[in-house]
Amino acid sequence: MPNALTGHLRVEANRDRCDGHGQCLLAAPTVFDVDEKANKVILLDPEPVEGLRAAVQRAVSMCPMGALEIVG
Ligand code: SF4
C-alpha cells in the first residue's frame, strides 16, 4: 500500500544480498543505480511516486538475488 499521506511507495534494498548486475537499474533507472566500485545497488529514490509502482515492481521481480522489496 502506498503511504496514504504522500502517495509514495517505500522501497528497501539489501546491499548484502546484491550482486551488482543491475537488472533493477534497467527496470527503474530513476530509483536504482549501481555503485560500480562496490558492485552494489544504490537506492536513488527510496520513496518513489506511486506512478513508478509498476517499474519498481518489475525491478523487484527481476532482481536475481531477492535484494529488493516494496515495504510500504
Ligand atoms: S537487480 Fe538486485 S542484485 Fe542486481 S543490482 Fe539490483 S539489487 Fe543488486
Side-chain angles (χ1 to χ4, degrees), residues 2-68:
N3 182 313
L5 294 177
T6 66
H8 289 231
L9 311 171
R10 283 201 304 120
V11 181
E12 287 184 355
N14 182 333
R15 285 170 57 98
D16 291 336
R17 283 191 172 192
C18 174
D19 68 1
H21 290 302
Q23 303 299 322
C24 53
L25 167 59
L26 297 176
T30 63
V31 178
F32 304 103
D33 199 357
V34 173
D35 176 342
E36 290 181 4
K37 280 190 183 160
N39 221 28
K40 297 289 182 184
V41 65
I42 299 170
L43 203 45
L44 297 174
D45 182 3
E47 295 193 356
V49 293
E50 175 63 25
L52 287 173
R53 176 177 290 274
V56 173
Q57 187 61 59
R58 204 158 44 243
V60 170
S61 300
M62 290 171 71
C63 176
M65 305 305 289
L68 304 175

